[in-house]
């Protein structure tokens, strides 16, 4: 692919202040403005006044000049202190995977240690981009027809929407009259930042930021570090009195106003707290702001702090932290069977026993009968003697407010009635997993606002005993944020841990792109809402086959499909908080109307109710494996799987999900939906279609957990349909799930490792998620064959189409009629000849090791056929796609 060389080498030399004949010249081209905007959503769009599809010469010229200026900064910094600088490094070499492009790019650097740690920014069909801290003197020497080297500008570090949100966010914080610290800014450090001791690094970094902000000389340093306030811009022929950019005018005014007369001295020296944490190779910082002493200058001071952070070469992303908002008898049967009154999993003892589920929300009323323990008090340390709440960490306070959100959410997960705080009995508002216990992070105030502790402390709640965390809160931001990245990284580095997130409640009127973060994550499971059934259904409801009109819709800003599944959330009967009472419980007279409350129970609607319902189902699935129900469908101590992966739990939920028929909107009535669309995606959760319970469900299960695949290789599995034991199910459903590292905040193509799922039947290829070709955007893929016949064989192929690193783990789940026979063990890469790169298509060619002459029904023929199919599909995708054009 040919791209015009837009960066002027002469301009670089002029900005560097060196003679045009002797100044160093970048050997590789830089990114165009169009290209940058297609990779990451940042302040670049507003700062350079970008108009998609209509880029003007002035914007392009500004981008080129700013890029040249950034080269000069990096080289000058290296000359002065020997410091490294963040760069985007891209490789457009054709017919390669992301990992192959990355290795090729690394070899081009003259210093052996320049690329010790990098962050994948983009791994597409035709380009791979990494973010790295390197010496500018090395970066400027990188040479190659297909290489692109882009200095990471300050504008690229500020995530989209951050600047415009400061005023509103501070007004929200101040409106509730808080007198303590609240989280305000999140920061991600560049890959390669190294520290021996995180506590020492934390203190040194906090001290340096404070000194920098209070320095008398730093205002000019901020100005000169940001192109649009620098003399290089203000004194150039790119600016006149009529055409100064809005960004230049705005930031110059901010710095001129707030970096003088010590207006921000109190904020910077006394009212900020910095905390630094790390997951794997990703360190980040959280900055909290003390509301006490708020003045009219605080917004300007925080804006100044934000711009100052972007001038640090150690920082690669800055974002405002938006204050999250909180977004069951009937729910039990809807999740288990879809038929009123039928709970086949409870019938065999699968009720969440032995599981601990973490919930973060506004608090729990400990004296509600669904949590009450007359013998045990709450404790921040684990107390497994407690009947229900084994850990309670009061990050905000020690209780819930009247009819509060948190009590209802926790009750939906695992509430179990004990009218005397001791002896349990069936209640009208028992949770989805009434046998499970709860670890609770109280993160809500008395008004129902959510104020998170550090992410490290939040995610530590319940650990290591809890492997499920339910979050019924979020922000109406549709993009991939710093918070989203942290949660994805945590799940990747703790592969048994599943985070369940409410999708949001702003989908009414079929409003698309309304799923809010952190439900925009890749590894988490995002939950939308469908209507309830039975007595909990609202008046006029069409029932559980219809999605709720309020349920937020996908896709995410980068195009991934969300929510993942739907669960009952319209309405849910659960525990109702009455903090001034003890033992409040079920109504003694009459039932609770949808949306109403009576005595100690409350009916509420929202995806906030759907998420904990799914978390309860996840607890039952973990119990299923922990107690040895797989594969026989009966409890067997010899079949115990102690630590199933989160990808497996998520995959089982998504594999068995059933399509709904439509959306029941409040104002516009019923509107149609389709499989894998922005409303339902995989459909509503149905445990009876997900797990095999002998004599109870008409579906059998095959799993392959924590499978490993290497870049360009394929793993092949054979599944044989046998209805010998009376199974009558006509479907074969196969689902592939993988958890991968978090992406760069603001990513516009967030998938880093592209695996392909294919099912082959008698020479015919089936592709996932309702497509006629491989899915290149999502890390959840499902194929359903609706008419699987007895004694029929299927080949299931998992292909590592393009990985960003050498290998990727995944979970594969299949349901159907498999009789009493085991599925054949997976044929991994070792069972096939090495995958050869097809030079024409860039796809993997796999040759089966077989002495049998293949016919059109044999597995060998099927595997060989992958080559031709991948060639055609690769050609079509290259024709239709293209990031860098």
């Amino acid at each position: 692919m040919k791209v015009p060389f837009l960066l002027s080498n002469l301009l670089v030399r002029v900005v560097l202040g060196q003679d045009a004949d002797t100044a160093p010249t970048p050997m590789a081209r830089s990114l165009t403005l169009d290209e940058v905007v297609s990779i990451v959503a940042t302040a670049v769009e507003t700062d350079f006044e970008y108009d998609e599809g209509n880029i003007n010469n002035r914007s392009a010229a500004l981008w080129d000049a700013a890029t040249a200026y950034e080269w000069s900064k990096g080289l000058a910094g290296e000359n002065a202190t020997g410091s490294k600088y963040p760069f985007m490094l891209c490789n457009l070499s054709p017919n390669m995977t992301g990992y192959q492009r990355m290795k090729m790019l690394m070899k081009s650097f003259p210093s052996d240690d320049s690329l010790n740690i990098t962050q994948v920014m983009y791994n597409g069909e035709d380009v791979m981009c990494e973010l790295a801290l390197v010496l500018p003197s090395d970066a400027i020497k990188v040479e190659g027809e297909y290489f692109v080297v882009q200095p990471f500008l300050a504008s690229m570090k500020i995530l989209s929407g951050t600047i415009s949100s400061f005023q509103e966010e501070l007004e929200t914080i101040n409106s509730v009259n808080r007198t303590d610290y609240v989280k305000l800014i999140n920061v991600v450090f560049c890959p390669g930042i190294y520290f021996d001791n995180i506590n020492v690094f934390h203190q040194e970094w906090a001290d340096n930021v404070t000194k920098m902000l209070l320095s008398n000389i730093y205002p000019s340093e901020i100005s000169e570090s940001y192109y649009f306030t620098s003399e290089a811009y203000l004194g150039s022929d790119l600016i006149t009195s009529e055409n100064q950019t809005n960004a230049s005018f705005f930031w110059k005014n901010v710095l001129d106003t707030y970096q003088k007369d010590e207006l921000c001295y109190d904020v910077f020296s006394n009212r900020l707290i910095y905390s630094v944490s790390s997951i794997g190779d990703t360190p980040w910082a959280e900055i909290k702001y003390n509301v006490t002493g708020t003045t009219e200058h605080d917004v300007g001071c925080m804006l100044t702090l934000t711009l100052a952070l972007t001038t640090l070469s150690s920082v690669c992303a800055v974002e405002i932290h938006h204050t999250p908002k909180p977004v069951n008898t009937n729910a039990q049967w809807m999740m288990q069977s879809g038929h009123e009154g039928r709970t086949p999993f409870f019938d065999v003892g699968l009720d969440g026993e032995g599981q601990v589920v973490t919930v973060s929300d506004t608090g729990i009323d400990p004296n509600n009968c669904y949590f009450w323990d007359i013998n045990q008090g709450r404790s921040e340390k684990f107390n497994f003697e407690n009947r229900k709440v084994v850990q309670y960490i009061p990050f905000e306070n020690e209780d819930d407010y009247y009819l509060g959100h948190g009590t209802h959410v926790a009750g939906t997960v695992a509430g179990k009635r004990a009218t005397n705080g001791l002896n349990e009995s069936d209640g009208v508002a028992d949770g989805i997993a009434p046998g499970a216990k709860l670890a609770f992070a109280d993160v809500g105030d008395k008004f129902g606002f959510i104020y998170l502790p550090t992410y490290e402390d939040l995610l530590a709640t319940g650990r290591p005993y809890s492997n499920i965390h339910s979050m019924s809160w979020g922000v109406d931001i549709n993009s991939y944020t710093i918070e989203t990245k942290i949660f994805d990284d945590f799940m990747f580095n703790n592969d048994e841990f599943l985070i369940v997130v409410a999708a949001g409640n702003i989908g009414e009127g079929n409003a698309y792109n309304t799923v809010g973060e952190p439900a925009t994550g890749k590894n988490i499971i995002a939950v939308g809402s469908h209507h309830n059934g039975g007595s909990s259904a609202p008046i006029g409801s069409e029932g559980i086959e219809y999605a709720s009109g309020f349920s937020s819709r996908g896709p995410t800003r980068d195009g991934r499909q969300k929510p993942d599944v739907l669960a009952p959330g319209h309405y849910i009967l659960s525990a109702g908080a009455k903090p001034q009472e003890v033992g409040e419980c079920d109504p003694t007279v009459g039932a609770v109307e949808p949306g109403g409350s009576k005595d100690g129970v409350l009916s509420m609607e929202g995806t906030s109710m759907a998420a904990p319902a799914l978390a309860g189902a996840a607890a039952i699935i973990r119990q299923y494996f922990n107690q040895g129900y797989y594969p026989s469908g009966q409890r067997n101590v010899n079949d115990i799987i102690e630590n199933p992966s989160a990808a497996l739990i998520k995959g089982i939920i998504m594999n068995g999900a059933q399509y709904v028929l439509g959306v029941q909107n409040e104002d516009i009535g019923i509107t149609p939906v389709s499989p894998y669309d922005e409303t339902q995606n995989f459909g509503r959760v149905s445990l009876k279609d997900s797990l095999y319970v002998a004599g109870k469900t008409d579906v059998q299960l095959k799993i392959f957990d924590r499978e490993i695949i290497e870049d360009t290789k394929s793993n092949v599995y054979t599944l044989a349909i046998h209805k010998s034991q009376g199974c009558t199910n006509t479907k074969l459903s196969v689902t592939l799930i993988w958890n991968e590292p978090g992406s760069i905040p603001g990513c516009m193509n967030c998938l880093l490792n592209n695996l392909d799922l294919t099912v082959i039947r008698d020479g015919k290829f089936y592709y996932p998620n309702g497509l006629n070709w491989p899915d290149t955007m999502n890390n959840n893929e499902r194929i359903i064959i609706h008419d699987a016949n007895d004694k029929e064989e299927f080949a299931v192929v998992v292909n590592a189409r393009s990985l960003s690193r050498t290998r990727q783990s995944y979970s594969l789940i299949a349901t159907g009629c498999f009789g009493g026979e085991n599925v054949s063990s997976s044929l991994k890469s070792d069972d096939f000849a090495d995958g050869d790169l097809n030079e024409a298509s860039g796809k993997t060619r796999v040759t089966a090791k077989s002495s049998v002459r293949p016919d059109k029904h044999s597995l060998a023929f099927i595997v060989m056929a992958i080559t031709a199919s991948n060639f055609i599909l690769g050609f079509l995708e290259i024709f239709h796609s293209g990031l860098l054009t």
Side-chain angles (χ1 to χ4, degrees):
M1 178 171 41
K2 302 297 182 183
V3 186
F5 189 99
L6 294 180
L7 178 61
S8 164
N9 291 332
L10 176 61
L11 181 60
V12 174
R13 294 195 292 268
V14 170
V15 172
L16 288 174
Q18 295 172 313
D19 181 84
D21 295 324
T22 61
T25 302
M27 303 302 293
R29 77 170 183 89
S30 296
L31 292 170
T32 68
L33 185 54
D34 267 327
E35 292 166 353
V36 170
V37 170
S38 68
I39 293 173
V40 62
T42 65
V44 165
E45 294 182 55
T46 53
D47 284 8
F48 291 88
E49 299 175 359
Y50 175 79
D51 183 8
E52 184 177 3
N54 188 33
I55 190 167
N56 56 67
N57 291 334
R58 178 167 173 267
S59 293
L62 286 170
W63 175 255
D64 292 344
T67 296
Y69 184 71
E70 211 72 19
W71 272 109
S72 72
K73 282 172 49 186
L75 289 164
E78 180 185 354
N79 289 335
T81 64
S83 58
K84 294 183 177 182
Y85 195 81
F87 284 86
M88 279 182 64
L89 310 170
C90 302
N91 186 348
L92 287 73
S93 296
N95 302 327
M96 285 187 174
T97 68
Y99 178 67
Q100 291 167 338
R101 290 184 178 116
M102 188 271 289
K103 294 294 287 184
M104 181 180 179
L105 191 60
M106 289 182 69
K107 291 179 181 178
S108 71
F109 269 77
S111 295
D112 294 338
D113 63 345
S114 289
L115 295 176
N116 287 335
I117 299 176
T118 62
Q119 163 76 57
V120 182
M121 290 198 70
Y122 192 101
N123 183 19
E125 194 71 25
D126 50 6
V127 62
M128 168 69 158
C129 293
E130 301 265 351
L131 178 62
L133 275 179
V134 298
L135 293 171
S137 60
D138 285 342
I140 207 167
K141 299 172 187 174
V142 173
E143 183 176 7
E145 178 184 2
Y146 297 105
F147 292 162
V148 179
V149 179
Q150 173 64 48
F152 213 61
L153 280 64
S155 299
M156 299 169 71
K157 299 180 180 183
I158 302 176
L159 296 193
S160 181
T162 291
I163 302 307
S164 60
S165 300
F166 263 108
Q167 183 73 44
E168 180 183 353
E169 185 61 27
L170 285 175
E171 286 177 355
T172 299
I173 293 170
N174 292 327
S175 68
V176 294
N177 298 317
R178 293 182 66 92
T179 59
D180 57 355
Y181 287 90
V182 296
K183 189 183 303 186
L184 189 62
I185 297 175
N186 290 329
V187 176
V188 172
F189 294 105
C190 298
I193 291 294
Y194 178 79
F195 45 84
D196 292 314
N197 185 310
I198 193 168
N199 294 322
V200 173
F201 175 80
H202 164 201
Q203 192 59 54
E204 289 178 348
W205 186 79
D207 290 344
N208 287 337
V209 171
T210 302
K211 291 176 183 177
M212 172 184 73
L213 291 167
L214 298 178
S215 168
N216 291 327
I217 64 170
Y218 199 69
S220 62
E221 291 188 11
I222 297 179
S223 298
E224 289 306 306
S225 294
Y226 175 64
Y227 176 67
F228 287 111
T229 55
S230 71
E231 284 302 315
Y233 170 69
L234 296 175
S236 73
D237 57 5
L238 292 171
I239 181 175
T240 67
S241 57
E242 290 81 22
N243 73 350
Q244 182 178 1
T245 65
N246 292 330
S248 176
F249 181 83
F250 172 81
W251 284 114
K252 190 174 185 307
N253 183 61
V254 167
L255 295 180
D256 287 347
T257 302
Y258 294 100
Q259 281 294 90
K260 67 178 183 180
D261 299 330
E262 299 185 340
L263 287 180
C264 298
Y265 183 88
D266 181 55
V267 174
F268 293 157
S269 60
N270 300 316
R271 293 172 51 209
L272 297 177
I273 291 179
Y274 303 84
S275 63
V276 177
S277 304
S278 177
I279 296 176
D281 293 330
T282 304
W284 74 88
E286 302 167 54
I287 301 176
K288 288 188 174 183
Y289 155 82
N290 194 331
V291 181
T292 301
T294 296
T295 72
E296 61 184 3
H297 308 305
D298 284 8
V299 173
C301 296
M302 293 301 101
L303 288 169
T304 302
L305 169 61
T306 300
L307 189 62
L309 290 168
T310 68
T311 69
L312 301 176
S313 61
S314 60
V315 169
C316 275
V318 181
E319 180 181 43
I320 189 171
H321 174 80
H322 295 268
T323 302
K325 58 184 180 181
V327 247
N328 267 292
T329 299
N330 286 316
Q332 291 171 346
W333 64 257
M334 281 185 288
M335 296 287 282
Q336 292 193 31
S337 70
H339 297 281
E340 189 164 6
R342 298 183 185 177
T343 51
F345 292 85
F346 286 175
D347 293 345
V348 297
L350 287 167
D351 62 358
E353 178 190 13
Q355 305 302 308
V356 177
V357 179
T358 300
V359 176
S360 52
D361 215 282
T362 62
I364 289 180
D365 177 359
N367 295 321
N368 183 285
C369 73
Y370 285 90
F371 311 103
W372 190 22
D373 188 326
I374 197 171
N375 293 322
Q376 301 289 330
R378 288 187 308 197
S379 173
E380 293 187 37
K381 295 182 178 180
F382 269 91
N383 176 14
F384 284 103
E385 297 301 316
N386 197 300
R387 183 180 74 86
K388 186 55 60 178
V389 183
V390 296
Q391 184 185 34
Y392 193 98
I393 302 183
F395 291 114
E396 272 295 308
N397 52 48
E398 297 183 350
D399 213 332
D400 203 3
Y401 56 93
Y402 182 76
L403 298 182
H405 191 265
T407 296
H408 189 280
V409 164
T412 302
V413 176
K416 183 64 181 177
R417 186 178 73 174
T419 56
N420 60 358
L422 181 63
N423 303 115
E424 294 183 345
S425 57
D426 292 341
V428 298
D430 282 349
I432 300 299
K437 297 195 176 188
L438 294 165
F440 197 88
D442 188 330
V443 295
D445 67 7
K446 62 183 179 180
F447 302 104
F449 286 96
I450 300 293
Y451 296 99
L452 299 181
T454 66
Y455 294 115
E456 186 175 35
D457 288 342
L458 177 71
L459 295 171
T461 305
R463 300 288 287 160
Y465 308 103
S466 170
N467 291 304
I468 303 166
H469 191 138
S470 181
M471 300 175 177
S472 288
W473 45 264
V475 178
D476 298 334
I477 295 176
N478 187 239
S479 57
Y480 194 92
T481 66
I482 291 176
E483 181 172 270
T484 312
K485 172 181 172 55
I486 290 170
F487 291 164
D488 274 347
D489 277 330
F490 190 87
M491 286 189 61
F492 178 74
N493 286 280
N494 300 270
D495 81 336
E496 73 286 351
F497 190 74
L498 177 66
I499 298 177
V500 181
V501 184
N505 299 329
I506 58 172
E508 192 64 52
N510 293 324
Y512 298 108
N513 296 101
T514 50
V515 166
E517 71 96 2
T520 54
K522 298 178 296 182
N523 301 335
I524 58 90
I525 185 164
V527 191
S529 169
H530 67 74
H531 273 252
N532 211 324
S535 60
S536 287
I539 296 174
S541 172
E542 295 291 337
I544 68 174
E545 301 296 340
Y546 289 85
S548 305
F550 58 74
S551 186
S552 288
R553 317 291 208 273
T556 61
R557 180 169 181 173
D558 64 296
R560 288 172 295 114
Q561 205 63 286
K562 292 285 178 178
D564 295 303
V565 290
L566 307 177
H570 194 173
Y571 284 85
I572 295 293
L573 189 66
S574 186
K578 292 189 174 180
Q580 303 305 314
E581 299 182 21
V582 175
E584 70 273 23
C585 205
D586 295 354
T588 55
V589 178
V592 178
E593 295 295 325
S597 65
K598 186 174 289 188
D599 296 337
V601 294
L602 170 67
S603 174
M604 297 181 75
E605 65 174 338
T607 58
S608 280
M609 287 64 251
L614 186 140
I620 290 174
I621 296 171
R622 283 193 61 86
Q623 179 194 3
Y624 179 91
F625 290 109
N626 289 170
Q627 294 185 348
Y629 280 84
Y630 176 80
S632 68
Q634 301 178 34
R635 188 168 181 170
N636 187 335
V637 295
N638 295 318
D639 290 328
I640 288 174
I641 299 175
E642 293 184 352
N643 194 30
S645 74
L648 176 64
I649 304 301
K650 178 181 177 182
I652 285 172
I653 291 169
M654 297 183 72
N655 184 67
Q658 302 295 297
Y659 303 132
V660 299
L661 302 178
V663 184
Q664 189 170 357
N665 298 281
E666 292 291 332
D667 298 328
I668 61 177
I670 293 175
T671 53
V673 296
S674 59
Y676 308 105
D677 70 359
E678 298 85 356
T679 299
Q680 67 167 320
N681 204 359
F682 279 46
R684 65 173 179 84
V685 176
S686 175
L687 288 181
K688 79 176 180 64
D689 295 293
S690 302
L691 295 173
Y692 174 51
V693 177
K696 296 288 185 179
T697 63
D698 191 34
V699 61
Q700 290 162 325
L701 176 68
K702 300 295 179 185
I703 64 169
F704 303 89
D705 196 18
R706 295 186 175 95
E707 297 284 277
I708 299 295
I709 192 167
E710 296 182 352
D711 189 39
T712 76
K713 301 297 179 69
S714 291
N715 292 347
V716 183
Y717 308 76
T718 57
L719 295 175
I721 302 299
H722 289 290
K723 301 187 178 182
S724 56
Q725 293 186 346
C727 178
T728 62
N729 196 329
T730 61
K731 290 182 181 179
L732 170 66
S733 182
V734 183
T735 297
L736 170 68
I737 304 286
W738 66 99
N739 286 350
E740 62 176 32
S743 300
I744 192 76
C747 54
M748 293 300 288
N749 180 25
C750 297
L751 189 69
L752 304 183
N753 295 312
N754 184 12
L755 304 185
D756 287 339
L757 174 67
T758 311
V759 172
I760 309 171
R761 176 194 206 181
D762 195 24
K764 181 179 180 180
F765 286 57
Y766 293 81
Y767 299 100
N769 300 351
L771 302 173
N772 293 320
W773 49 80
D775 186 332
T776 60
M777 299 201 70
N778 299 286
N779 58 333
N780 316 306
E781 300 187 1
R782 179 176 69 174
I783 297 171
I784 298 178
I785 307 295
H786 290 273
D787 58 347
N789 300 313
D790 190 27
K791 297 181 174 59
E792 193 171 10
E793 290 192 356
F794 297 83
V796 178
V797 182
V798 177
N799 178 38
R801 183 187 188 89
S802 178
L803 303 186
S804 60
R805 296 297 183 261
T806 181
R807 56 176 51 197
Q808 172 67 47
S809 66
Y810 64 86
S811 294
L812 187 70
I813 302 96
T815 51
C817 289
F818 303 123
E821 299 181 18
N822 290 325
V823 69
S824 67
S825 56
S826 63
L827 302 177
K828 298 186 180 179
S829 301
D830 290 342
D831 298 310
F832 291 85
D834 289 338
D836 297 320
L837 194 66
N838 185 323
E839 294 298 333
S841 66
K843 304 297 178 282
T844 304
R845 180 170 67 250
V846 182
T847 306
K849 291 181 178 177
S850 174
S851 59
V852 180
R853 181 180 179 183
D855 59 56
K856 69 176 183 177
H857 300 289
S858 74
L859 177 61
F861 175 85
I862 287 168
V863 174
M864 289 177 182
I866 296 171
T867 302
S869 174
N870 278 344
F871 176 85
I872 295 170
L873 289 165
F875 176 80
L876 290 174
E877 288 185 17
I878 292 171
F879 179 78
H880 285 293
S881 66
L883 168 67
L884 303 178
T885 57

